Amino acid sequence: MILLAGLAKVAGLLKEMVVAARFGTGAALDAYLFLFNILSTPASMWFSTISAILIPHLITLERRSPEAAAHFRAEFMMFATVVGIVAGLLSWLGLYGYITAGASGLGAEAVGYARDALPQLWLMVPLLFVAQYGSSCLMARNLHVNSLYEGLPALTILIALLLFPVSIRVLVLSTVAGFTLQLIATLVSLARSGNLDRPTASLQNAAWRQFRSAFLVMAGVQLLQSATNIVDQVIAAQLPTGSLSRFSYTLRAQGVLLTLLALAVPRVLLPALASMSHAAPQELKRFIARWSLLLGVVGGAAALFVSGLSEPIVRLLFQRGSFSGADTKVVATLLGVMIWQLPFYLLAMLYSQRQIVTRDFASLAIMGGGTLVIKLTLGLLLVWRFGLVGLTASIPLVSAFQVATLLLLGRRKEAEPR
């Protein structure tokens, strides 16, 4: 699984290098990234919700009744398709109104690019909704080929930018084409594994009753947590032209270099934690303690290494073509700050999975609400004082708050009489 994810990240790395060389940090890329990052948010919320709830539910249902599991998958396939289309259309309409009203903070040139790109780019939302449902089904069967398929959009963009004249239209159309290929590949793997069922327009399966409440609560939690990502994009768009591009390059550098470490938590530990849902509390506590130590040490060491070498790393990745030396210095500074999110992110992901397995959704809701409050108070204060660096610094601070909150609430729950 790590090897497959690594190949996908290599494709993402090469794509980012070519995008940096072709577009630099101008208005066209600001417009594309503003739309892409916000449109990715509902898909990210969806995947976080269904991977946390659907995977253990499918594992349990398959053990009890393979026939009931197949029926539930057929209904969920239709559900994912309809919800994806609705979410995509609502995102399109909302973004169009927000941009044309002049509230986005984008410059006039970037607004024009965004308005032209939106009618095609919104299609990524329903494509991702269905593909991510398929990924969850594969992961429930302990198949992780979806990690490789996640590199198909980046690979498609890379090839398109190398073959065709540089334009925002090529970037947009290749993005949609890449997500289409990801969906097709996922459906083919579902068919080969015997998990592709004809969609059924019904929610009558008895498994929905147990699934629905947990799904709705987790979706609410993800909405609170994902709102901070939208806040980041909106704030970055209000800063001078190029700020959003530089901020996004920093996010991409962090993700390309270090997301492999984070993959162990949701994709490896969740099935392990799900199998321990009925284990003795002390056994689960020891399991969490061992992984906390490992993830904290590895994440801290990686953050120290990257922060010390941030400028040569950014220069190696991006400094060519339209990406200037001045861009390198800014992005390197941002990366040196943002990378300290990593150890807190890994620990927060681990503790969140523990809360999911123990069905302590109240703690996750408290954490999500607190995260948004911290972002809108301390985060805005940092932006007002330090600009783009302040926005970047708010990211590790928010992750540290999440870890502290989950630790405090987890210990309080352990102290409760059983």
Side-chain angles (χ1 to χ4, degrees), residues 310-330:
S310 59
E311 187 163 342
I313 288 172
V314 173
R315 186 181 301 113
L316 176 64
L317 291 177
F318 300 131
Q319 189 173 322
R320 57 187 60 82
S322 298
F323 196 95
S324 67
D327 293 326
T328 294
K329 290 185 178 298
V330 173

Side-chain angles (χ1 to χ4, degrees), residues 27-41 95-96 98-99 103-106 110 114 121 230-238 244-245 248 252:
L29 192 61
D30 273 0
Y32 170 81
L33 291 172
F34 181 78
L35 295 180
F36 181 88
N37 292 335
I38 291 182
L39 289 171
S40 297
T41 299
L95 275 170
Y96 183 81
Y98 183 67
I99 291 169
S104 66
L106 296 171
L121 199 58
I230 296 178
V231 170
D232 286 340
Q233 299 304 313
V234 170
I235 292 174
Q238 306 292 327
L244 181 58
S245 299
S248 294
R252 298 294 188 274

Side-chain angles (χ1 to χ4, degrees), residues 71-131:
H71 188 203
F72 181 73
R73 287 196 304 267
E75 293 183 348
F76 205 97
M77 180 76 159
M78 178 62 74
F79 177 67
T81 303
V82 172
V83 173
I85 292 173
V86 171
L89 288 172
L90 290 176
S91 299
W92 178 12
L93 295 173
L95 275 170
Y96 183 81
Y98 183 67
I99 291 169
T100 54
S104 66
L106 296 171
E109 185 181 4
V111 167
Y113 283 125
R115 198 162 40 223
D116 293 340
L118 191 54
Q120 295 84 39
L121 199 58
W122 77 271
L123 292 169
M124 63 180 278
V125 178
L127 292 169
L128 274 170
F129 267 58
V130 181

Side-chain angles (χ1 to χ4, degrees), residues 56-386:
H57 190 71
L58 283 176
I59 292 172
T60 302
L61 196 59
E62 189 73 39
R63 289 172 181 169
R64 292 177 181 172
S65 172
E67 183 179 347
H71 188 203
F72 181 73
R73 287 196 304 267
E75 293 183 348
F76 205 97
M77 180 76 159
M78 178 62 74
F79 177 67
T81 303
V82 172
V83 173
I85 292 173
V86 171
L89 288 172
L90 290 176
S91 299
W92 178 12
L93 295 173
L95 275 170
Y96 183 81
Y98 183 67
I99 291 169
T100 54
S104 66
L106 296 171
E109 185 181 4
V111 167
Y113 283 125
R115 198 162 40 223
D116 293 340
L118 191 54
Q120 295 84 39
L121 199 58
W122 77 271
L123 292 169
M124 63 180 278
V125 178
L127 292 169
L128 274 170
F129 267 58
V130 181
Q132 289 168 346
Y133 154 74
S135 295
S136 295
C137 291
L138 292 172
M139 291 164 66
R141 288 290 186 94
N142 202 28
L143 300 172
H144 296 280
V145 69
N146 59 290
S147 298
L148 179 62
Y149 299 156
E150 289 171 6
L152 288 175
L155 184 61
T156 305
I157 294 170
L158 170 65
I159 293 172
L161 291 179
L162 291 175
L163 293 180
F164 299 102
V166 177
S167 70
I168 189 70
R169 181 170 178 80
V170 170
L171 185 57
V172 168
L173 292 179
S174 60
T175 300
V176 176
F179 285 122
T180 303
L181 289 176
Q182 180 183 349
L183 173 59
I184 292 171
T186 302
L187 293 178
V188 169
S189 288
L190 280 175
R192 294 181 63 183
S193 65
N195 285 266
L196 183 61
D197 307 284
R198 181 178 296 177
T200 302
S202 169
L203 300 179
Q204 301 301 317
N205 193 291
W208 282 100
R209 287 193 293 271
Q210 181 183 2
F211 176 83
R212 189 180 294 117
S213 59
F215 176 83
L216 291 175
V217 171
M218 192 63 191
V221 170
Q222 289 301 320
L223 178 61
L224 289 171
Q225 293 183 343
S226 298
T228 61
N229 297 328
I230 296 178
V231 170
D232 286 340
Q233 299 304 313
V234 170
I235 292 174
Q238 306 292 327
L239 297 173
T241 300
S243 296
L244 181 58
S245 299
R246 287 167 168 172
F247 184 70
S248 294
Y249 280 126
T250 308
L251 289 170
R252 298 294 188 274
Q254 182 193 42
V256 169
L257 293 169
L258 299 167
T259 300
L260 292 177
L261 294 173
L263 286 172
V265 181
R267 303 195 179 193
V268 175
L269 292 186
L270 181 57
L273 284 168
S275 66
M276 297 180 65
S277 58
H278 300 294
Q282 288 302 317
E283 183 179 352
L284 178 60
K285 188 175 181 179
R286 285 194 295 270
F287 180 88
I288 295 294
R290 287 196 301 269
W291 276 95
S292 296
L293 179 61
L294 175 62
L295 294 176
V297 170
V298 171
L304 183 63
F305 175 80
V306 172
S307 64
L309 296 175
S310 59
E311 187 163 342
I313 288 172
V314 173
R315 186 181 301 113
L316 176 64
L317 291 177
F318 300 131
Q319 189 173 322
R320 57 187 60 82
S322 298
F323 196 95
S324 67
D327 293 326
T328 294
K329 290 185 178 298
V330 173
V331 174
T333 299
L334 300 181
L335 180 60
V337 174
M338 187 183 292
I339 197 62
W340 287 102
Q341 179 196 19
L342 182 65
F344 300 113
Y345 170 80
L346 292 172
L347 291 172
M349 186 69 73
L350 172 64
Y351 298 149
S352 295
Q353 302 298 338
R354 177 188 60 184
Q355 306 308 108
I356 291 167
V357 168
T358 58
R359 302 184 70 81
D360 182 15
F361 299 115
S363 293
L364 294 175
I366 293 171
M367 180 198 71
T371 295
L372 185 56
V373 170
I374 292 295
K375 176 63 75 171
L376 291 174
T377 53
L378 180 59
L380 288 176
L381 180 62
L382 288 171
V383 173
W384 174 76
R385 181 65 180 84
F386 300 106

